[in-house]
Amino acid sequence: MTWTPHATVAVVVEDERGRFLMVEERSGGRIVFNQPAGHVEEDEAILDAVKREALEETGWVIEPEHFLGLYTYKAPTNGVTYYRFCFIGRARQQVTDELDTGIIAAHWLTLDDIRKLGDKLRSPLVIKSIEDYRKGRRYPLDVIADPQT
């Protein structure tokens, strides 16, 4: 078997009330919670993937403002290694209630609410990225050298 890394994007979005945009979804027969996130498609710019995934999963137009970091995670359920390009974004407008297949709902949750979800979080990266965001970690978007943008 050939090892193939999986490139994904995610976005941490906090509203003016201190709540975070989260996605409730079905994954591997379970209902889990995650930031808006997903795979980068072939020939897709990273920032375009962030906007697309957020819109498809939440119905919100999201504007990426900062790069938060690159996170690596090997999922114990399938052994796949994911490289998660995580961003900080601002919610601009909710434009649809139609959500991607497998998405149950989008929610605005406090950090306490998210912590209480425990093993219902899709991965430990959900909390880790919010903690990094709250510590003030921010990088300019131009650290992503994308020839398409």
Side-chain angles (χ1 to χ4, degrees), residues 4-149:
T4 304
H6 291 251
T8 63
V9 293
V11 61
V12 174
V13 180
E14 184 180 21
D15 72 6
E16 65 282 347
R17 295 172 51 196
R19 300 174 306 166
F20 294 90
L21 184 57
M22 298 292 291
V23 174
E24 182 180 5
E25 62 185 334
R26 287 182 180 83
S27 176
R30 298 177 52 221
I31 294 176
V32 295
F33 290 79
N34 196 9
Q35 281 101 4
H39 286 84
V40 179
E41 295 178 356
E42 187 174 357
D43 297 326
E44 184 176 37
I46 296 286
L47 292 174
D48 289 344
V50 173
K51 294 173 189 178
R52 177 187 52 77
E53 286 291 348
L55 181 60
E56 290 175 354
E57 294 190 351
T58 70
W60 281 85
V61 172
I62 301 298
E63 185 62 37
E65 296 184 327
H66 301 280
F67 180 59
L68 182 62
L70 175 61
Y71 299 79
T72 304
Y73 178 68
K74 186 171 184 175
T77 55
N78 61 13
V80 171
T81 299
Y82 296 93
Y83 292 95
R84 186 184 208 235
F85 295 84
C86 193
F87 293 84
I88 299 165
R90 180 84 40 224
R92 295 294 180 204
Q93 180 181 11
Q94 186 176 14
V95 295
T96 185
D97 289 326
E98 289 186 36
L99 305 179
D100 216 359
T101 303
I103 303 300
I104 297 167
H107 302 280
W108 289 95
L109 302 174
T110 67
L111 181 53
D112 286 342
D113 292 336
I114 295 167
R115 284 192 170 121
K116 288 176 187 172
L117 291 169
D119 66 351
K120 289 184 180 181
L121 296 177
R122 182 145 185 179
S123 83
L125 298 182
V126 174
I127 292 290
K128 173 70 174 140
S129 57
I130 293 173
E131 288 173 348
D132 288 346
Y133 162 79
R134 289 180 50 114
K135 288 177 187 172
R137 178 185 286 182
R138 301 209 183 356
Y139 299 99
L141 291 177
D142 65 4
V143 301
I144 305 297
D146 193 335
Q148 296 180 28
T149 56

